[in-house]
Amino acid sequence: MQEQKLQNRDKKYLWHPLTQHKTAAPPLGVVKAKDALFWDEGGNTYIDGIASWYTAMYGHCNEKISTAITNQMKELDFVMFSGFTHRPAIELSEQLMKILPKNQAKIFFNDNGSTAVEAAIKMALQYYYNKQEKRDTLIAFDGGFHGDTFGAMSASGLSSYNGPFEDFLLKVIRIPPPQEDTIDAVLELLDNICKNNSCAAFVFEPLVQGAAGMKFHSAKGLDLLIKKCQELDVLCIADEIMTGFGKTGRTFACDYLEHKPDVLCLSKALTAGMFPLSITTCTQKIFDVFLSDQLAKGFFHAHTYSAHPLGCAAALAGLELLSSDKIVERRKYIEAAHQNFVLRIKHHPKVKNARSLGVILAIDLAIDTGRYGKFRDRLYDFFMDNGVNLRPLGNTIYTLPPYVITKGQLQKIYGAIEDALEVF
């Protein structure tokens, strides 16, 4: 059959991420995407309710971004970033500095979210090494997720991803994300950890833990944790890969905080899913410790495609869209619609917890189930059968739609969720 053609060809050679190929259903062959929609090879249409892992926030095949990439490709396609520089990277750094927390001063380019965190952790460890201090411990939240390279994986707390590698990871001590009624206890735990270990950095997802199930925590509590770490000279690394560029209602989740992190990690919506690129930013204080007449004190960390001109062009176009009246208006609409939907369903007997922040909506079902398994797969299939791409995380249904989603499309997502509450 025509609709099986890509699936059959795929099966011969390809190995997909996060997939147990012995039991998983064949991957869906996608042939086209536009705005908040994509189409499979059978002509079926789906609403991309999670913006393809929180990347395509301005919609698929956005003409402004694709035009920027095309124009850049004709002028300068690529040049290595060691010993060279170029206009798109410089302009992107200038534009980012206008919206980043004011303590940020330097930008280091990587190629994906995991490597942005990897660079941040290496910066922190070498920061103390250059100061002739041996610090070997990271602090991270329970249930966090920061990527799949070894440093990023070490900071992550999801055993379903890390299990086979536990004996090879960096030393990490975990603390619970602070809730309004646990702030003092978590602060005391953090203080004890720092006093009894050689801590280099605190790595965290600010306000929302994405892969954990869109779990929210206290902005006040996180602010106090950052303050405590900085008082104890422990660097703070904010992983804004999921939360950045408007998803929490502000440009960055850290904009809700009084005390700003020392390092930020950015990717995903940075290039709107159009090109693999990521950034690690840091303060001048950190950068200065790498300045030396000794060559080895430099940050000898590199990626072949660092600061790729095409990715920088995509990011520049994305920043223009982010601040445009249309996108600001759409973000406000989605935020208000989510809040109204939470009010509508929060007392449903099958809803344990419903919450929203910015364009993020999450619903925990009143059912015990594993992160993966038959129940989760049935939920996923139900949504896809109804033309909505959502990827439940265990018993958590969430949507983080593109900013360009229409009112009708958003209401269809809500309707599919309400139907699921009646079916399951």
Side-chain angles (χ1 to χ4, degrees):
M1 295 176 61
Q2 178 67 24
E3 64 268 22
Q4 297 299 319
K5 187 180 294 185
L6 289 180
Q7 292 179 351
N8 290 338
R9 291 170 62 189
D10 175 284
K11 186 176 181 180
K12 188 171 183 180
Y13 297 119
L14 295 180
W15 189 343
H16 286 262
L18 303 180
T19 301
Q20 173 47 263
H21 277 270
K22 185 172 183 179
T23 58
L28 185 69
V30 175
V31 296
K32 178 184 174 183
K34 182 62 179 173
D35 297 332
L37 302 174
F38 62 84
W39 288 261
D40 68 19
E41 57 187 325
N44 300 302
T45 307
Y46 305 87
I47 300 171
D48 193 352
I50 59 169
S52 288
W53 269 340
Y54 340 128
T55 60
M57 299 308 299
Y58 313 108
H60 292 282
C61 298
N62 184 285
E63 292 180 7
K64 182 178 180 65
I65 299 175
S66 59
T67 298
I69 293 173
T70 300
N71 291 340
Q72 182 58 50
M73 192 182 301
K74 295 174 181 177
E75 179 180 295
L76 172 64
D77 55 352
F78 175 69
V79 65
M80 65 184 188
F81 208 56
S82 181
F84 297 92
T85 192
H86 50 75
R87 177 184 52 80
I90 294 167
E91 289 185 357
L92 179 56
S93 70
E94 292 167 345
Q95 294 304 313
L96 280 172
M97 282 302 167
K98 295 177 182 179
I99 61 173
L100 284 165
K102 298 303 181 185
N103 67 336
Q104 298 301 292
K106 294 294 180 180
I107 284 174
F108 189 89
F109 284 97
N110 315 280
D111 56 10
N112 65 64
S114 295
T115 56
V117 175
E118 200 79 13
I121 290 172
K122 289 180 69 175
M123 277 182 192
L125 295 173
Q126 188 176 345
Y127 171 83
Y128 292 105
Y129 179 88
N130 283 3
K131 294 174 67 176
Q132 297 184 314
E133 297 181 39
K134 183 179 180 181
R135 301 211 184 184
D136 61 358
T137 303
L138 302 176
I139 304 164
F141 281 147
D142 292 330
F145 179 75
H146 302 283
D148 291 320
T149 53
F150 261 83
M153 185 168 56
S154 297
S156 301
L158 295 172
S159 60
S160 55
Y161 298 133
N162 296 354
F165 313 104
E166 290 288 351
D167 293 341
F168 308 99
L169 302 179
L170 300 174
K171 181 181 177 183
V172 179
I173 300 177
R174 306 195 186 282
I175 59 176
Q179 304 301 329
E180 291 299 322
D181 59 347
T182 64
I183 294 173
D184 290 342
V186 178
L187 273 171
E188 183 178 356
L189 178 60
L190 174 69
D191 189 53
N192 289 333
I193 290 169
C194 291
K195 288 178 178 178
N196 292 289
N197 297 274
S198 298
C199 296
F202 168 37
V203 186
F204 57 91
E205 297 163 273
L207 304 192
V208 185
Q209 291 183 289
M214 297 298 167
K215 293 181 178 178
F216 297 176
H217 53 266
S218 164
K220 175 185 176 182
L222 178 58
D223 207 36
L224 291 171
L225 292 178
I226 293 172
K227 179 183 179 184
K228 172 64 69 174
C229 283
Q230 291 175 337
E231 288 173 350
L232 298 173
D233 194 27
V234 174
L235 298 180
C236 295
I237 300 172
D239 178 351
E240 290 253 19
I241 290 159
M242 188 277 286
T243 53
F245 303 103
K247 299 193 192 81
T248 63
R250 300 188 184 180
T251 304
F252 299 104
C254 290
D255 292 340
Y256 287 91
L257 307 175
E258 177 183 351
H259 297 90
K260 306 303 182 184
D262 304 287
V263 179
L264 266 79
C265 303
L266 309 172
S267 190
K268 290 192 181 291
L270 171 66
T271 61
M274 287 279 202
F275 203 92
L277 187 77
S278 69
I279 283 174
T280 306
T281 75
C282 71
T283 62
Q284 189 70 39
K285 180 184 81 168
I286 292 174
F287 180 78
D288 287 346
V289 171
F290 290 80
L291 301 178
S292 173
D293 292 328
Q294 300 176 45
L295 188 67
K297 284 195 172 183
F299 191 47
F300 275 73
H301 177 92
H303 299 280
T304 300
Y305 296 114
S306 294
H308 200 297
L310 306 187
C312 292
L316 282 164
L319 289 180
E320 286 188 41
L321 288 168
L322 180 65
S323 61
S324 68
D325 291 342
K326 178 182 177 181
I327 295 300
V328 171
E329 178 185 334
R330 295 307 301 166
R331 285 166 49 195
K332 289 179 179 177
Y333 168 75
I334 297 168
E335 181 174 13
H338 280 354
Q339 291 169 352
N340 289 333
F341 186 64
V342 167
L343 292 175
R344 196 160 89 207
I345 65 161
K346 67 178 183 178
H347 297 304
H348 191 285
K350 293 183 182 176
V351 172
K352 181 178 180 181
N353 178 266
R355 57 199 177 276
S356 69
L357 179 67
V359 301
I360 303 168
L361 166 71
I363 301 150
D364 298 335
L365 302 182
I367 184 171
D368 292 327
T369 184
R371 181 178 186 82
Y372 297 106
K374 292 182 179 179
F375 177 79
R376 180 265 174 201
D377 291 346
R378 285 171 55 218
L379 264 180
Y380 173 80
D381 291 341
F382 176 84
F383 290 127
M384 290 296 286
D385 289 343
N386 283 273
V388 176
N389 175 37
L390 301 178
R391 287 178 62 89
L393 296 165
N395 69 338
T396 301
I397 300 170
Y398 75 94
T399 182
L400 200 167
Y403 299 143
V404 298
I405 194 167
T406 67
K407 179 179 179 180
Q409 291 164 349
L410 190 57
Q411 292 303 318
K412 183 173 180 179
I413 291 175
Y414 295 156
I417 293 172
E418 288 182 300
D419 288 346
L421 293 177
E422 302 307 316
V423 171
F424 290 92

